[in-house]
Amino acid sequence: MSLAGRKITALAANHLVPAVGYCLDSGAASLVFTGDTGPNDALWEFVNGIVNLRYLIIETAFSNHDYAIAMASRHLCPSLFAEEIRKLRLPAEIFITHLKPGDMELTMSEVANAVDACQPRMLEHGQVFEF
C-alpha cells in the first residue's frame, strides 16, 4: 500500500492473538515496527532484505524474570531480544518499546547487558522519526 509517496507493508507477527508489524519506506529510508511479536524468523528474512533500513522499533515487553510469560504470550524479554537481534544483518538504530510499567529500568538494563554490538534505546513518548 502507498500513502503520500510512502510504501507501507504489513508484517506478520508471531503473537498469541493475531497481530502485525509494519515497514514504512519513504524511498530514502525505512522504519520497521515489529508490533507485538515473539521470536519471528519470517520477520528477519523480510527485514534483512530492506536495503535502506534506518530504524527498527522492537517490542521487549517483559524482563528476563518473566521469560515463561514472554514465551507463553509470544512477546520478547531481553534474552529473547538478544537472540532475535542477532538475526539482523543490517545496520539500524534500534528502539525498544512495549516495556511493562514498573519493570522499564530493569528490562532496559537487561537489554543493554544482553547485547554487545548494538546500542538499543528506549522509545520515548512523542518521539518523532524523520526519514
Side-chain angles (χ1 to χ4, degrees):
M1 176 172 116
S2 291
L3 179 65
R6 287 170 168 73
K7 183 177 176 187
I8 302 168
T9 305
L11 307 173
N14 177 20
H15 192 47
L16 193 58
V17 297
V20 296
Y22 293 97
C23 176
L24 309 173
D25 185 346
S26 71
S30 289
L31 177 148
V32 170
F33 169 64
T34 66
D36 288 351
T37 192
N40 188 347
D41 288 340
L43 172 76
W44 301 111
E45 185 176 329
F46 180 88
V47 169
N48 285 318
I50 303 171
V51 295
N52 65 353
L53 181 65
R54 182 161 178 197
Y55 300 111
L56 173 65
I57 302 172
I58 183 169
E59 76 108 279
T60 306
F62 295 97
S63 69
N64 283 329
H65 176 75
D66 291 324
Y67 176 89
I69 296 170
M71 288 297 290
S73 61
R74 296 189 191 147
H75 282 281
L76 298 178
C77 64
S79 62
L80 292 170
F81 163 82
E83 290 175 22
E84 290 300 287
I85 209 65
R86 284 187 201 99
K87 299 172 187 177
L88 177 63
R89 297 187 302 264
L90 301 169
E93 292 183 53
I94 300 170
F95 295 87
I96 305 297
T97 189
H98 205 307
L99 297 147
K100 297 298 180 202
D103 280 343
M104 295 168 76
E105 288 182 20
L106 171 62
T107 303
M108 285 305 299
S109 175
E110 290 176 344
V111 165
N113 290 330
V115 293
D116 299 329
C118 66
Q119 297 178 350
R121 294 174 282 177
M122 183 170 58
L123 185 67
E124 296 181 23
H125 180 72
Q127 191 163 356
V128 175
F129 294 89
E130 293 186 19
F131 58 100

